[in-house]
Structure formats: structure tokens, C-alpha cells
């Protein structure tokens, strides 16, 4: 199983949009587990479910097994562990290593080909737990100055986490989102990411497409649409590039 964590501490940088489309795109190539680690529960909504009030992925921090939180989705090959809406990470002193421990004890890798994790826009124990199991990290960013700054901050957080665990840093991909090639700042920001952090990390950009916002209403990720659209094509290309990397 390859575990792909979608993260950026900056809010509104299309983490969830990317997580649900990558998870659904990978589900055409194998069985996928989607973990909605953000208590907002938007990834759960994105695949046609709801954040749960009683049992969700965050229940593992309260003693549950990970497997008992699994629910099927209407989408083929896609299993969800939904967000537990009331969970408050700050009520707990030490949550280190719990997701990693569940993966190992429950042999999760034997049941899925891919695990995709949507994370909250904070550098908290939830994000740290997900980095502890990451083979690959995708950092979506909106291409403007603060977006580039946030990528640098996220990379530093990844190095810090890898050092604390005494392991190599996960494979990193940087994904420009809401990209408009006619806006100079967008082109310049992508160039800056290339020169500052390495062009080999860059994935092809995702353009602006209102359908990517509308898809949350239907609970059907755009990549599964019958009708081709710009957002669908961009995320198909993204999945293709991620498959080549993992
Ligand atoms: N390429 C796109 N084109 C148009 N709208 C987009 C695109 N990508 C994302 N959006 C919209 O931008 C908003 C933020 O996206 P999303 O919720 O995926 O970000 P996020 O990083 O998960 O946010 P948060 O930090 O709150 O978890 C949403 O309303 C989403 O529908
Ligand atoms: Mg989100």
C-alpha cells in the first residue's frame, strides 16, 4: 500500500479538492482508503458521505480500531474513514504514533493498494500522525507570494517530522492549484517554487474550474464525471503523474 498525504498548513489551498479527486482517480487502479483527518469533514462530504458524530477516523485517538471506522462509499473501490465531527485534538496531551500503530497492528496495507489522507490546515498532532505514515506528500498551493511561503514552511515541517522519526523524508510533490497561465504572478510563483524547491517536485497545474467547487454538492468527485471538463482533465493528469511517482 502506498500512503499519500495531502497537506499544507495554509487554509483554502485545495487540499480536500485534491484529496477526493486523487483518491477517486486512484480507485480506477486499485482499492483505496480515504482518511478524512480534518474534523470539518469536507472530504467525507466530497465522496457523498457525512462527517460522523459517533465513530470516525479520529476515534482511533479515543481507543477505537481503524478498521471499525470504515464505511463503503457509493464509488467503486473507495472506502472512507469519515471525520469525527466533535473531536478536539487539543484535549489530548500526547497522540504521537497512534495512526502508525493502527496501520501496523491491523495490517491495513494488506487490504488496500492506496491510502489517501486529507489533513487539517494546522500543524497539529493530526498532521503529525499522517506524516508518520506517509510514503508521499502532495502539497497543493495557490500560486501567489504567500502560497510560495507556505510551501517552504510545509517543507520545513516535513524535514522536522522526518528528523524526529529518524526516517527519510517522504517523496514530495508540489501542486499549483487554481492556476491561470494568463496571470503573471501565477507564472512567476510557479517559477519561484521551481528554483527554490526543485522543478522535479512540481506536478502539472490544476486550473480554475467552478465544477471543482460544485462537485461537493453532489458528493461525486469531478474525476468520476461522465462529461469531460477542464478540472477533470487536470486531475486525471495529476493522478497519472502521481502513479508514476509512487
Ligand atoms: N481548481 C479550482 N477551481 C475552482 N475552485 C476550486 C479549485 N480548487 C478548489 N476550489 C474551491 O476552493 C475552496 C477551497 O478548496 P478546499 O476546500 O479543497 O481547500 P482546503 O485546503 O481543503 O481548505 P481547508 O484548509 O479549509 O481544509 C473550495 O470552495 C473549493 O471548492
Ligand atoms: Mg480541507
Amino acid at each position: 500500500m502506498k500512503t499519500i498525504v495531502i497537506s499544507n498548513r495554509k487554509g483554502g489551498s485545495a487540499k480536500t479538492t485534491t484529496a477526493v479527486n486523487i483518491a477517486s482517480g486512484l480507485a480506477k487502479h486499485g482499492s483505496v482508503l480515504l482518511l478524512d483527518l480534518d474534523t470539518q469533514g469536507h472530504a467525507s462530504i466530497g465522496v457523498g458521505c457525512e462527517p460522523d458524530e459517533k465513530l470516525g477516523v479520529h476515534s482511533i485517538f479515543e481507543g477505537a480500531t481503524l478498521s471499525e471506522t470504515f464505511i463503503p462509499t457509493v464509488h467503486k473501490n473507495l472506502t472512507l474513514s469519515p471525520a469525527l465531527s466533535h473531536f478536539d485534538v487539543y484535549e489530548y496531551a500526547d497522540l504521537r504514533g497512534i495512526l502508525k500503530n493502527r496501520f501496523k497492528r491491523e495490517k491495513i496495507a494488506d487490504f488496500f493498494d492506496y491510502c489517501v489522507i486529507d489533513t487539517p490546515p494546522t500543524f497539529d498532532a493530526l498532521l503529525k500522525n499522517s506524516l508518520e505514515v506517509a510514503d508521499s506528500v502532495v502539497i497543493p498551493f495557490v500560486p501567489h507570494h504567500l502560497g510560495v511561503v507556505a510551501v517552504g514552511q510545509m517543507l520545513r515541517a516535513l524535514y522536522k517530522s522526518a528528523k524526529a522519526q529518524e526516517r527519510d523524508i517522504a517523496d514530495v510533490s508540489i501542486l499549483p492549484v487554481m492556476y491561470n497561465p494568463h496571470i503573471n504572478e501565477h507564472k512567476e510563483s510557479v517559477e519561484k517554487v521551481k528554483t527554490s524547491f526543485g522543478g522535479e517536485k512540481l506536478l502539472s497545474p490544476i486550473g480554475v474550474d467552478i465544477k471543482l467547487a460544485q462537485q461537493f454538492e453532489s458528493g461525486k468527485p469531478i474525476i468520476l464525471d461522465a462529461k469531460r471538463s477542464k478540472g477533470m482533465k487536470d486531475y486525471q493528469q495529476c493522478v497519472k503523474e502521481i502513479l508514476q511517482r509512487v
Side-chain angles (χ1 to χ4, degrees), residues 148-166:
V148 178
V149 171
V151 171
Q153 289 168 333
M154 192 61 222
L155 283 170
R156 277 194 290 281
L158 291 181
Y159 283 112
K160 199 173 155 195
S161 163
K163 200 172 166 199
Q165 291 175 68
E166 296 177 346

Side-chain angles (χ1 to χ4, degrees), residues 21-244:
N21 280 289
I22 288 181
S24 307
L26 288 173
K28 291 179 182 169
H29 301 268
S31 56
V32 178
L33 172 64
L34 173 62
L35 303 185
D36 188 356
L37 262 188
D38 185 350
T39 52
Q40 293 184 99
H42 294 174
S44 306
I45 295 170
V47 295
C49 302
E50 288 292 327
D52 204 282
E53 284 170 19
K54 294 199 181 81
L55 189 67
V57 63
H58 304 88
S59 305
I60 63 170
F61 303 113
E62 298 172 341
T65 64
L66 181 59
S67 321
E68 71 185 290
T69 71
F70 293 169
I71 54 171
T73 68
V74 293
H75 310 298
K76 196 175 160 209
N77 274 345
L78 185 60
T79 299
L80 171 73
S81 178
L84 180 68
S85 50
H86 67 73
F87 184 77
D88 181 358
V89 69
Y90 298 108
E91 282 178 9
Y92 298 82
D94 188 6
L95 297 177
R96 266 175 301 181
I98 293 180
L99 184 60
K100 192 175 173 184
N101 168 284
R102 294 296 189 277
F103 268 39
K104 203 170 159 195
R105 273 205 355 221
E106 297 173 48
K107 297 189 169 57
I108 300 297
D110 292 353
F111 301 99
F112 299 95
D113 298 305
Y114 305 99
C115 174
V116 176
I117 307 182
D118 186 29
T119 60
T122 40
F123 192 58
D124 59 15
L126 297 174
L127 179 56
K128 286 179 191 168
N129 262 266
S130 68
L131 295 182
E132 286 170 1
V133 296
D135 296 305
S136 171
V137 176
V138 177
I139 310 174
F141 81 106
V142 183
H144 49 53
H145 180 67
L146 286 182
V148 178
V149 171
V151 171
Q153 289 168 333
M154 192 61 222
L155 283 170
R156 277 194 290 281
L158 291 181
Y159 283 112
K160 199 173 155 195
S161 163
K163 200 172 166 199
Q165 291 175 68
E166 296 177 346
R167 58 170 269 190
D168 289 339
I169 185 171
D171 179 63
V172 175
S173 303
I174 304 173
L175 175 67
V177 293
M178 305 184 220
Y179 179 76
N180 182 338
H182 304 296
I183 297 178
N184 273 340
E185 198 194 355
H186 284 198
K187 285 194 286 193
E188 285 161 15
S189 297
V190 170
E191 274 311 306
K192 204 160 185 187
V193 163
K194 217 186 248 181
T195 50
S196 307
F197 311 122
E200 75 287 347
K201 291 192 180 70
L202 262 183
L203 296 172
S204 301
I206 307 293
V208 176
D209 185 347
I210 189 63
K211 289 201 177 71
L212 285 165
Q214 292 164 339
Q215 64 179 345
F216 286 90
E217 212 174 334
S218 65
K220 184 177 179 191
I222 203 170
I223 204 163
L224 299 175
D225 268 0
K227 231 169 129 192
R228 281 176 80 72
S229 60
K230 167 112 187 71
M232 178 200 207
K233 280 196 288 192
D234 287 350
Y235 272 111
Q236 276 178 336
Q237 177 62 26
C238 177
V239 169
K240 203 167 143 190
E241 293 176 16
I242 284 173
L243 277 169
Q244 282 163 1

